[in-house]
Amino acid sequence: MASRAIGSFRRFPASKTLRCPGYICRNFAGSSALLTRTHINYGVKGDVAVVRINSPNSKVNTLNKELQSEFVEVMNEIWASDQIRSAVLISSKPGCFIAGADINMLAACKTNQEVTQISQEGQRIFEKLEKSPKPIVAAISGSCLGGGLELAISCQYRIATKDKKTVLGSPEVLLGILPGAGGTQRLPKMVGVPAAFDMMLTGRNIHADRAKKMGLVDQLVEPLGPGLKPPEERTIEYLEEVAVTFAKGLADKKISPKRDKGLVDKLTSVAMGIPFVRQQIYKKVEEKVRKQTKGLYPAPLKIIDVVKTGIEQGSDAGYLSESQKFGELAMTKESKALIGLYHGQVLCKKNKFGAPQKEVKHLAILGAGLMGAGIAQVSVDKGLKTILKDATLAGLGRGQQQVFKGLNDKVKKKALTSFERDSIFSNLTGQLDYQGFEKADMVIEAVFEDLSLKHRVLKEVEAVIPDHCVFASNTSALPINEISAVSKRPEKVIGMHYFSPVDKMQLLEIITTEKTSKDTTASAVAVGLKQGKVIIVVKDGPGFYTTRCLAPMMSEVIRILQEGVDPKKLDSLTTSFGFPVGAATLVDEVGVDVARHVAEDLGKAFGERFGGGSLDLLKQMVSKGFLGRKSGKGFYIYQEGVKSKNLNSDMDSILASLKIPPKSEVSSDEDIQYRLVTRFVNEAVMCLQEGILATPAEGDIGAVFGLGFPPCLGGPFRFVDLYGAQKIVDRLRKYEAAYGKQFTPCQLLVDHANSPNKKFYQ
Amino acid sequence: MTSILTYTFKNLPSTSKWALRFSVRPLSCSSQLRATPAAQTKSKKTLAKPNIRNVVVVDGVRTPFLLSGTSYKDLMPHDVARAALLGLLHRTSVPKEVVDYIIFGTVIQEVKTSNVAREAALGAGFSDKTPAHTVTMACISANQAMTTGVGLIASGQCDVVVAGGVELMSDVPIRHSRKMRKMLLDLNKAKTLGQRLSLLSKFRLNFLSPELPAVAEFSTSETMGHSADRLAAAFAVSRTEQDEYALRSHSLAKKAQDEGLLSDVVPFKVPGKDTVTKDNGIRPSSLEQMAKLKPAFIKPYGTVTAANSSFLTDGASAMLIMAEEKALAMGYKPKAYLRDFVYVSQDPKDQLLLGPTYATPKVLEKAGLTLNDVDAFEFHEAFSGQILANFKAMDSDWFAQNYMGRKTKVGLPPLEKFNTWGGSLSLGHPFGATGCRLVMAAANRLRKEGGQYGLVAACAAGGQGHAMIVEAYPK
């Protein structure tokens, strides 16, 4: 006992052990085996074994090989012991049960078979759990995802804390794989086929109370407030206490693990008993998936297939199919791309500039337009005291209403209570003057994209803000050094490029100038992270990174339209390549005037390389008031409440007047797609070459999360790695021959093509 | 804690008060002081302050507290309040015209009598020249009524104030849904038949679903019982401990009732029914019986049950408070002084019911007293779990340091001085009226059992709390 305690203290010096007095720790025969156990320990309460998972040196528990083998070892001891009649599985980490399987374990595999083997290993372990003669209760607090969920649903009973941090889900599909440890077989049985498809195909997170309603968990435990211990600690202890009573009850057969099904559940299961109904459901789901993924993502279709196999041909066939398909999927380019994005995202959620000297507590935003109000919304709901300043009462009112509506929509979705909404909304102060700016730690200006206006507000603001206050400019194209040219303290000036709609788009592009201090950058990144953003930090330059990549592609869009391709056709070509929004629609969404501005500015800065389509198209559209969605007309006509959009027939004359003859050798559907994508990719690589980007990972994250670059390709850099630099250079050369300089591959890309071993991701 | 409580029960039948006291294991250092007369060792001889008028309680009464849905069920709140006022007039024989002001507390308001103080006063025959207002502060509404009166007297605005409280849980306002209300209001404004018909055509069946009031926090939507269960769990208070404490409350209340100690109760002849003379919620049961009950809020494994919670109650209370010199001039022999008081508030979610823990040290420090100086504790018992969680919080250095900004724990009130005549769990808890009952219980206990200082404390919805020092009037 003593040695065990000491051992565990030595291993986890930082974590306070939650063991209570009155615990009987089992004496282990082979104590040497014990000392090597680092992820799992267990004690016995009465006749209930409490298995605690706590991976060392990590905030989360992940199912890796070590943890798995320790788990098997512990479970075997439990099954062998006469004194133990039931068990509780719990994590010692508040906020995480098991966050999923270890992705690196898959990445290390070279062949399908290796991955299939991993899957079969998992299947075997979980099958043993499912068939355990001693009831096992999973006590879930915090994230229970992927393999964690598969483990939980193999147990006989599940109890979860009703906490915002407690989420259950099967996010495998987001990584291009499927739940490979029995999840595809157990989930449909547990929550019904439709709900299981929904979980596995969307990868959505399910909160505890919803999970209870679905039958995914059997009991909920309320999180506790302060008592004689810190709340999180006591909540886990309480969860354990409750789980132990249920484990006892299950062992004594006082509690039945079967749950009462509601009427709807019963009807669903009756309906699912009819083969015809099942076939219809598979068909429906498959159709929907095909429509949404355009066939670009293999994982969802395989998930449907595996579930179908299990139901129609029995679980043996199901498990086999699951493990095989799992192996196949893990080796796909799509999966590698998506996993790459996942890693990139993790990277871009960290502040590599360290903690800022002064935490931003008071934020001020200038301009209550779409962007300003959006930034305000994501700030106030994280508890930042925010001033929203506008020049006019009407503009301010519109902005305040936008913030309120954003919060109220969450109330309607029951993500917030009306009381929480009100208290969040009171973090926002709307005003027309500079009152209170003397307390601001950061000012973000989101005024109209006009250099002289930005200069004016910068000077006005610098007259009222304290010395430490950071001035951030939200601009999509104006170079920050030009804005900071009039600043008294250019080291405090930085660019923060948000994407619209701010509350939905995850990306924040932070732009630093030569003069921007490291602390200013750290401060901006810290604020962005607080706002829940994925952040890339890039160097200043015309168009920074994102706008600069988009501009040549947009120029190509215009040329393609001029060549007579219908906007609808162009949209379908881009979406079928994997872009979430069609190219013509994108222009409408961004705003034709904005696009024109950017095209003009960047055209001046980069010259011919950004040419292609005629700027006159945008100019004429602006002059006719076709500004895109915001004015109701662009390439399409937008009407409130009308979903299907029609082409704007008034565009015909403009397009006709600017028509240029298409070049047949580069105008096949595929060529059109690649003309767009290669210009994008080439520019992205050039940004890395010029040092605008610090890492390819940031480039990929920026392109996917900010511009909608096809996630299945993993971003421009991953795309080059997976598709092959040589093939891209070949394409560029082909188009170069037709159009000239705009398609000349940049040096770095050529280098990669010349030496096939060179990869952006090693 | 468990053992302490069972000790108490074993000795309950004993008639000797001293035996009862000594049977309990000492809970705090006050035990050493018990042998000597309390008054001689107080930190302060009196809490009178120079240049501030002394405020005294001449007397206070209450109607019997009844389980809702029993004898008062056909009444309206002002009827019960009137009964308390008439009882007070009868008990004190105070001339109605000397009353300067009347204040009542209430929680769930009857919309027809939203200023229930005024309606009750008029009906009880008080002068129509005596103004009256109604206050609300959840379970400490009557406390707020009293302290408002104290303020009026201390500041010289009034000499004689009647303070009280009322609650009638037998009848609560159940409203039409917002949609239905909106339609009805619009119908009122509609001028033509066409407008009316078009409004009526918007009617949907779900408009008829009513809105019921709940004992739930508006800010968190959590019912109080649910919060109490979580609080008990946070402080690791077991079901058995809770049942034992509830049994203690009922047993002590029964004893007090049988011995005629609940002298603040006045009989109430309910129209059309028999005269009600005593509280009807006191029902000492057995631990075995109580253990059979299922949890009422957190199902199926919670610990708060109907038996260890206070029940829905109807009742009213009223007190006559005066400036000391006025009372003496009128020839009264007051019962007690109302001394320092505090209001506190904290997190309405996780610390909803911890008011007494926060308020107790604050009021003691304000008065310059210590726990040892207090001879009678009267805490509002919302739930057994709440009282026991407060005890554990008061007894915890960790809690004091991390949540109260104190260096050391508050300390435990000795159980032998604690709610010895029962509490809200057994006597009942008409939200708006409990405050006066607590003060009168403290005052009457000090008079009956000797002792100088009483401490009243209560928690309330909204995460608020209150404490007041009651000082016995020298005999």
Side-chain angles (χ1 to χ4, degrees):
Chain A
M1 161 107 190
S3 73
R4 180 176 152 73
I6 292 162
S8 68
F9 275 120
R10 205 179 50 209
R11 278 199 296 277
F12 318 111
S15 70
K16 283 180 201 162
T17 45
L18 296 173
R19 200 171 302 130
C20 335
Y23 248 72
I24 309 154
C25 288
R26 265 175 59 79
N27 267 327
F28 296 97
S31 64
S32 58
L34 183 74
L35 286 174
T36 58
R37 206 174 276 164
T38 54
H39 296 267
I40 292 179
N41 62 67
Y42 87 97
V44 182
K45 270 185 171 176
D47 57 6
V48 183
V50 179
V51 180
R52 296 198 189 78
I53 309 165
N54 193 0
S55 289
N57 308 321
S58 170
K59 272 193 214 160
V60 295
N61 295 318
T62 42
L63 282 177
N64 54 25
K65 286 199 169 139
E66 274 175 72
L67 193 150
Q68 266 182 24
S69 69
E70 285 184 22
F71 181 68
V72 171
E73 216 176 277
V74 166
M75 287 315 298
N76 283 336
E77 278 182 36
I78 288 170
W79 282 317
S81 161
D82 296 336
Q83 291 136 15
I84 297 172
R85 299 182 59 226
S86 59
V88 168
L89 300 186
I90 192 167
S91 158
S92 304
K93 293 185 199 293
C96 179
F97 177 68
I98 294 176
D102 184 8
I103 299 176
N104 298 327
M105 187 164 74
L106 298 182
C109 296
K110 296 271 182 287
T111 62
N112 290 1
Q113 288 75 18
E114 275 180 72
V115 183
T116 299
Q117 223 162 21
I118 290 181
S119 162
Q120 285 170 340
E121 178 71 12
Q123 287 177 349
R124 261 196 299 277
I125 299 173
F126 291 166
E127 193 184 359
K128 254 191 115 174
L129 275 191
E130 189 180 33
K131 297 192 172 145
S132 166
K134 300 179 181 178
I136 304 168
V137 177
I140 303 160
S141 180
S143 44
C144 172
L145 301 171
L149 181 72
E150 293 182 279
L151 170 68
I153 60 175
S154 309
C155 297
Q156 279 68 38
Y157 209 76
R158 281 148 300 280
I159 302 177
T161 50
K162 192 178 157 188
D163 194 302
K164 279 194 175 159
K165 281 183 186 163
T166 300
V167 287
L168 298 93
S170 307
E172 288 89 348
V173 70
L174 302 174
L175 300 177
I177 48 177
L178 54 74
T184 61
Q185 307 302 304
R186 282 191 193 95
L187 210 48
K189 284 182 198 145
M190 180 156 282
V191 297
V193 176
F197 272 139
D198 180 64
M199 282 179 72
M200 288 190 284
L201 295 176
T202 61
R204 80 171 88 236
N205 279 344
I206 291 170
H207 287 277
D209 43 355
R210 173 103 191 83
K212 171 85 171 21
K213 282 186 198 130
M214 287 170 66
L216 198 55
V217 301
D218 301 285
Q219 293 294 342
L220 294 180
V221 165
E222 296 285 333
L224 301 181
L228 300 176
K229 283 175 185 171
E232 305 79 36
E233 199 177 316
R234 175 62 193 146
T235 299
I236 290 208
E237 204 177 273
Y238 179 53
L239 171 67
E240 187 183 303
E241 287 166 14
V242 172
V244 164
T245 59
F246 276 94
K248 276 203 179 98
L250 285 163
D252 297 342
K253 305 252 186 287
K254 279 184 190 154
I255 298 166
S256 158
K258 289 212 179 89
R259 59 199 170 83
D260 304 326
K261 283 191 175 175
L263 184 65
V264 179
D265 283 349
K266 278 182 192 157
L267 287 176
T268 319
S269 62
V270 168
M272 289 306 293
I274 308 165
F276 174 74
V277 174
R278 290 202 302 269
Q279 294 305 331
Q280 288 301 309
I281 288 180
Y282 301 142
K283 218 176 104 190
K284 256 271 160 60
V285 174
E286 210 173 299
E287 264 169 29
K288 205 173 164 194
V289 164
R290 278 194 198 281
K291 202 174 155 210
Q292 280 180 354
T293 63
K294 320 252 178 224
L296 296 168
Y297 296 82
L301 293 172
K302 297 230 159 140
I303 289 173
I304 298 172
D305 199 38
V306 170
V307 170
K308 200 163 137 184
T309 309
I311 294 173
E312 303 301 327
Q313 298 169 35
S315 52
D316 284 348
Y319 283 117
L320 186 68
S321 166
E322 179 186 272
S323 61
Q324 283 171 348
K325 297 272 167 27
F326 185 66
E328 289 165 24
L329 283 173
M331 289 295 135
T332 56
K333 278 184 189 168
E334 288 81 3
S335 170
K336 292 202 176 350
L338 290 169
I339 289 177
L341 278 178
Y342 170 77
H343 285 305
Q345 206 181 353
V346 171
L347 205 73
C348 294
K349 284 261 182 193
K350 286 184 183 142
N351 192 346
K352 57 184 173 186
F353 298 88
Q357 282 166 18
K358 197 167 188 303
E359 192 195 343
V360 172
K361 287 189 177 143
H362 295 268
L363 182 69
I365 296 165
L366 301 176
L370 214 56
M371 294 303 283
I375 300 167
Q377 188 192 326
V378 298
S379 305
V380 289
D381 68 1
K382 311 300 183 313
L384 273 173
K385 293 270 172 217
T386 305
I387 294 173
L388 186 62
K389 179 197 175 301
D390 201 274
T392 66
L393 198 59
L396 178 64
R398 196 216 62 81
Q400 286 171 309
Q401 180 57 32
Q402 182 189 330
V403 178
F404 182 83
K405 184 174 180 297
L407 296 171
N408 200 40
D409 286 349
K410 288 191 181 176
V411 174
K412 285 184 188 154
K413 284 185 203 148
K414 303 217 166 137
L416 284 180
T417 66
S418 60
F419 178 82
E420 285 167 330
R421 173 199 65 203
D422 298 343
S423 92
I424 289 170
F425 194 60
S426 58
N427 285 333
L428 186 75
T429 316
Q431 58 191 51
L432 300 173
D433 54 16
Y434 285 107
Q435 187 197 332
F437 274 56
E438 70 281 356
K439 274 197 285 182
D441 302 309
M442 178 181 281
V443 175
I444 301 177
E445 68 79 13
V447 300
F448 190 68
E449 295 264 33
D450 175 80
L451 192 61
S452 60
L453 178 61
K454 301 229 181 213
H455 279 167
R456 204 186 79 211
V457 299
L458 172 60
K459 284 186 210 155
E460 278 179 17
V461 167
E462 281 194 345
V464 290
I465 54 177
D467 289 341
H468 73 273
C469 180
V470 171
F471 182 91
S473 188
N474 172 61
T475 168
S476 55
L478 292 176
I480 305 301
N481 60 39
E482 284 179 28
I483 294 172
S484 71
V486 299
S487 170
K488 288 186 286 188
R489 358 155 288 158
E491 72 281 3
K492 292 283 180 196
V493 180
I494 196 164
M496 290 174 86
H497 177 200
Y498 290 87
F499 294 76
S500 186
V502 180
D503 59 325
K504 302 260 157 49
M505 295 291 281
Q506 286 192 62
L507 189 71
L508 168 62
E509 183 180 30
I510 289 179
I511 304 106
T512 60
T513 69
E514 299 282 314
K515 291 179 183 156
T516 307
S517 72
K518 199 181 149 220
D519 186 58
T520 301
T521 313
S523 194
V525 174
V527 167
L529 288 177
K530 190 163 202 178
Q531 292 167 334
K533 297 292 167 197
V534 175
I535 295 170
I536 62 171
V537 180
V538 305
K539 281 226 180 93
D540 193 22
F544 326 126
Y545 166 67
T546 50
T547 311
R548 183 172 158 183
C549 287
L550 196 59
M553 186 170 117
M554 282 301 152
S555 174
E556 200 59 30
V557 166
I558 294 168
R559 170 152 59 199
I560 291 164
L561 291 169
Q562 282 179 283
E563 287 178 354
V565 176
D566 178 27
K568 272 199 169 163
K569 161 102 195 250
L570 178 60
D571 273 355
S572 95
L573 284 178
T574 32
T575 51
S576 66
F577 198 76
F579 282 94
V581 178
T585 308
L586 185 63
V587 178
D588 277 0
E589 294 287 339
V590 169
V592 179
D593 50 339
V594 176
R596 183 201 135 173
H597 246 288
V598 172
E600 251 173 5
D601 286 354
L602 296 188
K604 270 182 217 151
F606 293 104
E608 204 186 330
R609 201 173 76 247
F610 276 48
S614 167
L615 244 179
D616 284 340
L617 178 71
L618 298 177
K619 281 185 188 161
Q620 287 192 33
M621 285 177 79
V622 172
S623 69
K624 288 217 170 164
F626 301 155
L627 303 184
R629 179 186 282 279
K630 61 185 164 192
S631 69
K633 271 182 182 178
F635 289 109
Y636 294 95
I637 292 172
Y638 300 89
Q639 280 165 303
E640 197 73 43
V642 180
K643 252 194 172 174
S644 64
K645 48 189 185 182
N646 292 313
L647 281 175
N648 179 4
S649 55
D650 296 339
M651 282 301 297
D652 294 349
S653 61
I654 301 179
L655 286 168
S657 71
L658 295 168
K659 193 162 168 65
I660 48 174
K663 303 194 181 208
S664 59
E665 71 276 20
V666 289
S667 292
S668 74
D669 284 359
E670 199 189 343
D671 278 323
I672 287 177
Q673 290 173 328
Y674 274 94
R675 275 162 60 190
L676 295 170
V677 174
T678 50
R679 282 192 79 174
F680 188 117
V681 170
N682 192 32
E683 201 59 37
V685 176
M686 199 175 275
C687 285
L688 184 66
Q689 179 183 310
E690 289 178 4
I692 297 283
L693 279 176
T695 59
E698 283 174 291
D700 282 346
I701 292 296
V704 172
F705 289 94
L707 306 173
F709 192 89
C712 55
L713 306 179
F717 296 94
R718 180 77 58 181
F719 176 58
V720 173
D721 277 1
L722 292 173
Y723 186 80
Q726 185 61 53
K727 279 198 216 166
I728 292 171
V729 169
D730 291 346
R731 289 247 178 213
L732 281 162
R733 294 283 185 215
K734 177 179 166 192
Y735 304 138
E736 190 184 17
Y739 294 109
K741 261 190 168 176
Q742 291 130 22
F743 286 97
T744 311
C746 70
Q747 191 55 46
L748 186 58
L749 198 55
V750 174
D751 289 349
H752 274 247
N754 290 340
S755 50
N757 288 333
K758 255 191 158 173
K759 298 266 181 204
F760 290 111
Y761 294 93
Q762 289 308 327
Chain B
M1 177 107 298
T2 316
S3 62
I4 299 163
L5 287 171
T6 33
Y7 252 108
T8 321
F9 298 127
K10 272 186 214 150
N11 287 285
L12 272 178
S14 154
T15 42
S16 157
K17 216 181 306 158
W18 287 101
L20 176 65
R21 282 189 176 184
F22 279 109
S23 70
V24 177
R25 210 178 71 198
L27 278 169
S28 78
C29 48
S30 66
S31 55
Q32 286 103 32
L33 305 173
R34 211 174 297 128
T36 55
Q40 288 177 9
T41 57
K42 298 296 182 197
S43 307
K44 276 186 160 180
K45 277 189 178 153
T46 172
L47 293 180
K49 288 176 186 161
N51 307 324
I52 291 184
R53 293 176 100 188
N54 284 324
V55 181
V56 295
V57 179
V58 173
D59 210 340
V61 299
R62 62 181 176 94
T63 68
F65 285 178
L66 301 190
L67 296 161
S68 61
T70 58
S71 296
Y72 300 157
K73 71 175 178 188
D74 297 327
L75 301 178
M76 283 178 67
H78 71 284
D79 295 326
V80 190
R82 190 174 63 242
L85 283 174
L86 288 170
L88 185 71
L89 287 174
H90 180 74
R91 174 77 60 91
T92 62
S93 313
V94 66
K96 288 168 187 166
E97 60 280 2
V98 306
V99 176
D100 295 319
Y101 207 92
I102 298 170
I103 311 163
F104 258 63
T106 196
V107 179
I108 297 183
Q109 295 195 346
E110 161 62 54
V111 282
K112 286 183 193 158
T113 58
S114 63
N115 187 1
V116 67
R118 178 66 174 162
E119 311 310 335
L122 286 174
F126 279 86
S127 160
D128 60 6
K129 300 283 186 296
T130 304
H133 82 262
T134 302
V135 294
T136 188
M137 201 172 178
C139 306
I140 49 178
S141 296
N143 306 78
Q144 185 52 260
M146 284 182 286
T147 55
T148 303
V150 169
L152 287 173
I153 295 170
S155 63
Q157 306 304 312
C158 297
D159 291 326
V160 181
V161 173
V162 169
V166 62
E167 205 70 43
L168 190 83
M169 298 294 290
S170 291
D171 181 34
V172 292
I174 297 173
R175 297 199 298 179
H176 270 305
S177 68
R178 182 81 188 242
K179 287 175 193 156
M180 185 72 181
R181 291 187 333 249
K182 190 167 183 295
M183 194 181 79
L184 291 173
L185 290 171
D186 287 347
L187 269 177
N188 246 351
K189 286 187 209 143
K191 292 198 174 62
T192 65
L193 184 67
Q195 283 174 345
R196 285 196 193 101
L197 285 175
S198 92
L199 274 170
L200 284 171
S201 71
K202 286 180 195 142
F203 175 80
R204 297 289 174 275
L205 215 56
N206 70 4
F207 284 20
L208 288 178
S209 64
E211 272 179 22
L212 296 163
V215 190
E217 284 296 298
F218 179 74
S219 61
T220 62
S221 316
E222 187 180 22
T223 62
M224 196 179 267
H226 196 277
S227 190
D229 206 321
R230 287 197 306 114
L231 185 75
F235 283 93
V237 179
S238 73
R239 166 79 183 266
T240 321
E241 284 174 288
Q242 293 180 43
D243 285 352
E244 279 166 355
Y245 183 83
L247 185 53
R248 172 192 191 264
S249 181
H250 280 278
S251 311
L252 291 175
K254 181 87 175 82
K255 186 162 166 282
Q257 193 178 50
D258 291 348
E259 289 175 7
L261 297 173
L262 305 177
S263 59
D264 53 340
V265 178
V266 289
F268 177 11
K269 170 69 185 78
V270 181
K273 295 205 169 81
D274 290 340
T275 302
V276 181
T277 56
K278 54 184 188 174
D279 306 325
N280 71 358
I282 307 172
R283 284 183 291 190
S285 168
S286 70
L287 286 176
E288 293 73 37
Q289 284 293 327
M290 292 166 92
K292 283 184 191 158
L293 283 181
K294 287 194 172 148
F297 301 98
I298 297 188
K299 295 163 186 169
Y301 57 84
T303 53
V304 173
T305 67
N308 59 37
S309 313
S310 56
F311 48 86
L312 297 182
T313 313
D314 300 337
S317 55
M319 262 167 53
L320 181 61
I321 54 183
M322 290 192 189
E324 184 181 18
E325 68 270 17
K326 178 77 178 180
L328 296 178
M330 289 179 72
Y332 285 116
K333 175 80 182 158
K335 280 195 158 168
Y337 293 106
L338 297 181
R339 297 300 194 187
D340 297 274
F341 61 85
V342 296
Y343 287 93
V344 295
S345 59
Q346 58 282 331
D347 172 18
K349 177 154 182 63
D350 290 331
Q351 304 196 18
L352 182 68
L353 304 172
L354 286 180
T357 300
Y358 285 89
T360 298
K362 217 172 153 187
V363 78
L364 287 173
E365 272 152 30
K366 196 171 175 206
L369 300 178
T370 68
L371 268 186
N372 302 334
D373 294 317
V374 179
D375 303 297
F377 291 88
E378 275 297 328
F379 276 35
H380 163 50
E381 300 167 342
F383 301 88
S384 282
Q386 165 257 334
I387 285 289
L388 296 172
N390 272 285
F391 281 176
K392 294 205 177 190
M394 292 167 94
D395 199 26
S396 162
D397 284 325
W398 187 87
F399 187 83
Q401 284 154 7
N402 287 284
Y403 288 92
M404 300 177 70
R406 293 170 56 88
K407 289 202 178 73
T408 53
K409 63 186 178 186
V410 177
L412 267 181
L415 213 51
E416 72 277 9
K417 296 180 182 175
F418 190 86
N419 291 7
T420 49
W421 291 359
S424 299
L425 284 171
S426 45
L427 301 171
H429 172 39
F431 301 150
T434 290
C436 291
R437 179 189 67 73
L438 292 171
V439 168
M440 287 319 299
N444 288 333
R445 277 174 57 196
L446 291 173
R447 279 176 73 82
K448 180 89 187 167
E449 298 170 351
Q452 189 181 3
Y453 296 120
L455 182 121
V456 167
C459 58
Q464 311 211 73
H466 166 77
M468 181 158 70
I469 303 283
V470 178
E471 184 181 340
Y473 201 84
K475 280 182 186 168

